[in-house]
Amino acid sequence: MTFSPDLLTANDVPGQHAASFYSATADTKTNYPQLAGDVSCDVCVVGGGYTGLSTALHLAERGYDVVLLEANRVGWGASGRNGGQVSPGQRVGQTTLEKRHGAAHAKELWDLSLQSMELLHSLIKTHHIKCDFTPGLIEAVHRKDWVDELKEDLDHYRDTYGYDQIEFLNGTKIRDYVDSPAYFAGALNHGGGHLHPLNFALGLASAAEAAGAKLFETSRVTRIDPGDTVRVHLETGAVRAKHVVLGCNGYLGELDPTTARHIMPINNYIIATEPFSESEAEKLIAKGRAVADTKFVINYFRMSADRRLLFGGGETYKYDFPTDIKSFVRKPMLEIFPQLKDVKIEYGWGGTLAITTKRMPYFARLTPNILSASGYSGHGVAMATLAGQICAEAVDGTASRFDVFEQINLPAFPGGVRFRYPLLVLAMTWFAMRDRLGI
Ligand SMILES: Cc1cc2nc3c(=O)[nH]c(=O)nc-3n(C[C@H](O)[C@H](O)[C@H](O)COP(=O)(O)OP(=O)(O)OC[C@H]3O[C@@H](n4cnc5c(N)ncnc54)[C@H](O)[C@@H]3O)c2cc1C
């Protein structure tokens, strides 16, 4: 087991998007310059995923002089490789948030999740981002004894939050939607959906550039010196900025030790099959819905625009990707869809996300003029995009939405940056084993 490899280089070719279905079907290829020499700006954003791109876009729209530094390509990280699933709600359910933080704070977090969805839709519309957004996300329940709990949950969302977009699917209905013997019930959230994640990221990059942000690729930050003017160092130059926003998520490494103590990188994997015919695709997953199940190591799947099954799952608790990702993820895919045993797998890729101790995002003011947002715990497509807008607002002097997240006051991982990982492996292995044993 390795403890802290350099995840910016460990599993991928630096400077190139991962060889995924998404990069093979990307709308554009980016070729932003490498930063060379010394430059000054109002705000330097580190990281070219949804967090960084959305921060840059929203600050440039407010008239700030913005420099964004991305170590590889924009959308190279989790933002260009994920399952593309989005829905209202935080990664953690509202009843848990109410118990942890009280009703008022839980409601603010719920409202922010709705705002993240509104923002996503408005960005797609305003900037004409072609990312195949398709509505409808199903949560599929894999344990019979959890079905009543699901029904209570849906009542709670309707009665307490006035959210009536979730339809309960009984055992027959879930099978109408998902041709698998694995599920006992489901919840179809009409407010959720799925999209092409890399094309969404590339669309944000074009929008940020059009708004005036200066984007740099293959521009890895090596050190940050805080101060009234922050100095951001690269091997090829340096940036002097009045403010810095860090959006490095699972690829942060030890660039900032405070953020590093609060997040944990985890790898997750996706495969794409050969395309299905229209009728085969409709039989497998009806009406183009996306699905995520209730297993501890979540299986999530959906059809791409060209009707390939994109199936994600199979977390590993070590930092090197498996040598054969296609076979690795094929296994959970066949547990859900045994009928696909002869179907060809054409793509397989992995990515690194960041989780936190309480599976809620980590927002922090590291110094008065350095902000950090990350740790979306597998729920970052809409949330990281919102985080960028919120960081932009905070730089501009309005921190009320930033504070709602900061006040979650997430504990750091026990064991520090070096020993957090083996401790987590023990805990995760136990939960995954409970899943397999059904206890
Ligand atoms: C396989 C997988 C499936 C997922 N599925 C879903 C899903 O279905 N739905 C959902 O909501 N979320 C999902 N997620 C999570 C989601 O993708 C992330 O939460 C989100 O993309 C985070 O965006 P980000 O901008 O914070 O980080 P990233 O997109 O990872 O971007 C961080 C960027 O920072 C750059 N960087 C790091 N260090 C430096 C440095 N020193 N200098 C310069 N640049 C640097 C990296 O190169 C990287 O491009 C998934 C993640 C993975 C990996």
Side-chain angles (χ1 to χ4, degrees):
M1 188 193 314
T2 45
F3 291 124
S4 293
D6 177 8
L7 290 169
L8 279 169
T9 54
N11 295 304
D12 296 287
V13 183
Q16 281 182 30
H17 282 117
S20 69
F21 166 73
Y22 301 133
S23 60
T25 52
D27 259 355
T28 50
K29 285 213 181 317
T30 58
N31 193 16
Y32 295 109
Q34 184 173 60
L35 186 116
D38 285 4
V39 299
S40 294
C41 62
D42 295 328
V43 189
C44 176
V45 178
V46 186
Y50 305 137
T51 304
L53 293 167
S54 170
T55 305
L57 166 64
H58 288 102
L59 280 166
E61 282 179 342
R62 285 168 185 252
Y64 283 83
D65 177 19
V66 183
V67 165
L68 180 144
L69 303 171
E70 162 54 49
N72 290 291
R73 297 273 152 217
V74 294
W76 175 92
S79 300
R81 313 176 188 207
N82 63 65
Q85 305 201 347
V86 288
S87 68
Q90 299 287 346
R91 169 72 177 81
V92 176
Q94 285 304 122
T95 33
T96 305
L97 292 177
E98 287 158 20
K99 280 184 208 133
R100 278 189 202 160
H101 306 292
H105 195 178
K107 172 75 167 67
E108 287 177 317
L109 291 165
W110 168 256
D111 289 344
L112 284 166
S113 83
L114 295 181
Q115 290 161 28
S116 75
M117 291 300 296
E118 278 162 27
L119 177 66
L120 182 113
H121 287 301
S122 91
L123 289 169
I124 292 173
K125 193 165 168 222
T126 311
H127 302 290
H128 310 288
I129 302 176
K130 290 200 203 90
C131 58
D132 307 322
F133 181 85
T134 310
L137 175 65
I138 295 174
E139 183 186 22
V141 177
H142 78 289
R143 282 179 57 159
K144 205 173 182 175
D145 55 336
W146 288 2
V147 175
D148 286 342
E149 204 180 307
L150 173 74
K151 283 189 198 154
E152 282 165 26
D153 247 19
L154 303 195
D155 290 345
H156 188 63
Y157 279 96
R158 194 192 51 239
D159 300 342
T160 308
Y161 296 95
Y163 189 70
D164 59 3
Q165 294 296 299
I166 314 180
E167 180 185 339
F168 175 72
L169 306 175
N170 63 22
T172 312
K173 279 196 183 155
I174 184 77
R175 288 219 187 165
D176 288 346
Y177 274 106
V178 185
D179 189 17
S180 168
Y183 303 118
F184 293 95
L188 167 55
N189 192 336
H190 294 279
H194 57 102
L195 49 69
H196 188 302
L198 179 57
N199 280 340
F200 180 56
L202 295 172
L204 289 181
S206 309
E209 188 191 26
K214 296 179 198 91
L215 273 46
F216 294 92
E217 295 184 317
T218 58
S219 300
R220 178 174 182 166
V221 173
T222 50
R223 198 178 86 232
I224 298 174
D225 292 337
D228 285 346
T229 298
V230 186
R231 273 188 77 86
V232 178
H233 299 269
L234 296 83
E235 273 175 13
T236 52
V239 179
R240 293 160 63 87
K242 292 181 201 139
H243 298 267
V244 166
V245 178
L246 286 183
C248 301
N249 208 42
Y251 297 96
L252 173 90
E254 294 180 27
L255 185 63
D256 168 56
T258 306
T259 306
R261 279 195 294 277
H262 287 85
I263 61 171
M264 170 88 64
I266 294 272
N267 291 337
N268 198 272
Y269 306 95
I270 304 184
I271 51 177
T273 64
E274 61 188 312
F276 290 100
S277 70
E278 229 170 275
S279 59
E280 286 167 337
E282 181 64 19
K283 182 160 172 20
L284 216 51
I285 308 175
K287 299 193 169 83
R289 309 306 192 189
V291 184
D293 71 19
T294 46
K295 294 202 173 189
F296 179 72
V297 178
I298 296 173
N299 295 305
Y300 51 97
F301 41 93
R302 65 192 181 96
M303 287 292 162
S304 62
D306 65 349
R307 294 189 302 272
R308 294 165 191 275
L309 178 68
L310 303 183
F311 190 99
E315 226 154 55
T316 53
Y317 307 131
K318 58 180 190 167
Y319 282 125
D320 308 326
F321 286 0
T323 40
D324 185 355
I325 294 177
K326 290 181 190 169
S327 307
F328 180 71
V329 185
R330 190 172 171 268
K331 199 165 166 259
M333 182 189 81
L334 291 184
E335 281 168 19
I336 305 301
F337 295 117
Q339 66 272 42
L340 301 187
K341 64 180 185 348
D342 296 324
V343 168
K344 210 169 139 209
I345 310 295
E346 296 197 338
Y347 298 88
W349 66 95
T352 304
L353 56 134
I355 60 168
T356 61
T357 44
K358 303 267 181 185
R359 305 298 185 269
M360 289 296 284
Y362 176 69
F363 280 59
R365 278 182 189 75
L366 302 170
T367 71
N369 57 354
I370 305 181
L371 303 179
S372 178
S374 54
Y376 310 98
S377 305
H379 195 69
V381 175
M383 204 49 69
T385 308
L386 180 74
Q389 189 188 45
I390 290 178
C391 287
E393 270 169 23
V395 167
D396 198 33
T398 307
S400 47
R401 296 200 296 172
F402 192 95
D403 293 344
V404 176
F405 280 114
E406 201 183 24
Q407 280 155 10
I408 292 174
N409 212 1
L410 282 168
F413 277 93
V417 170
R418 188 163 169 75
F419 292 109
R420 62 187 173 167
Y421 195 65
L423 289 172
L424 183 88
V425 171
L426 281 177
M428 300 285 249
T429 309
W430 162 241
F431 281 116
M433 190 172 78
R434 275 195 351 175
D435 227 29
R436 282 196 290 275
L437 298 175
I439 52 173

